[in-house]
Amino acid sequence: MDLVRGQRASELFQAQSHLYKHIFNFIGSMSLKCALQLGIPEIIHNHGKPITLPELISALQIHPTKAGFVHRLMRLLVHSGFFVTTRVHINQQEEEEEEAYDLTPSSRILLKDNVTNLSPFLLAMLDPVLVSPWHFLESWFRGDKVTPFESANGMGFWD
């Protein structure tokens, strides 16, 4: 009986984990959009070497009360594979190291000067005009509108 309960508990955990993954999946895309809008890939690229968190915060020109949240954003984007962390020497005389952020191939194709720049596509696909129709799927299925876009915006995509 305990084995059966253990198996059910394991199945429940797997089911919850699967569901949570899908519920929170949008956070990665929206965090990437935020990083692009803040100019983080360009800042790191223009820095010419991996950038420390204080250097990044200074370059971002954000409200001082938001500075503490940049680490969370970067940690999520590192976990998602858009940036990597490395250790850099704080200065030449000391052996003390600090964590710094660098670009990955995925973030390099978001750079403005890159021939394969996907920044405009990313911003377009995550624009509220194109994201909001996904909130209207149920009413679209039940209604007479031709597309979910029309359900959300009251007109067709090309109108």
Side-chain angles (χ1 to χ4, degrees):
M1 187 74 162
D2 288 336
L3 181 60
V4 172
R5 285 186 188 160
Q7 187 175 12
R8 286 187 182 161
S10 175
E11 288 173 2
L12 177 60
F13 176 77
Q14 291 297 321
Q16 288 174 331
S17 177
H18 182 243
L19 189 58
Y20 290 146
K21 174 186 165 193
H22 287 279
I23 290 170
F24 296 113
N25 213 13
F26 74 97
I27 294 172
S29 298
M30 298 314 288
S31 296
L32 179 59
K33 177 183 177 185
C34 175
L36 183 61
Q37 290 172 321
L38 289 172
I40 292 175
E42 295 293 334
I43 290 169
I44 295 172
H45 176 72
N46 293 336
H47 191 68
K49 60 183 179 180
I51 192 169
T52 64
L53 185 61
E55 292 169 329
L56 178 60
I57 290 170
S58 175
L60 283 173
Q61 300 175 346
I62 58 174
H63 195 276
T65 61
K66 306 298 190 302
F69 297 100
V70 175
H71 180 257
R72 292 180 184 178
L73 175 65
M74 293 305 292
R75 192 170 65 203
L76 187 143
L77 292 169
V78 166
H79 177 75
S80 298
F82 293 106
F83 300 103
V84 293
T85 56
T86 186
R87 304 295 295 174
V88 295
H89 289 284
I90 295 174
N91 58 45
Q92 301 298 338
Q93 292 78 22
E94 297 182 32
E95 292 184 20
E96 192 175 345
E97 291 184 330
E98 192 171 352
E99 185 176 75
Y101 301 98
D102 205 357
L103 300 173
T104 64
S106 295
S107 54
R108 287 185 199 288
I109 60 176
L110 297 174
L111 297 173
K112 293 175 185 172
D113 293 339
N114 193 322
V115 176
T116 57
N117 178 3
L118 288 178
S119 292
F121 183 69
L122 182 144
L123 293 173
M125 292 299 100
L126 296 177
D127 187 275
V129 170
L130 292 182
V131 173
S132 66
W134 293 100
H135 294 276
F136 289 83
L137 281 178
E138 182 268 339
S139 62
W140 171 71
F141 273 110
R142 295 182 188 279
D144 63 347
K145 301 292 184 191
V146 177
T147 65
F149 186 93
E150 186 180 346
S151 294
N153 298 300
M155 63 180 76
F157 183 77
W158 300 111
D159 295 332

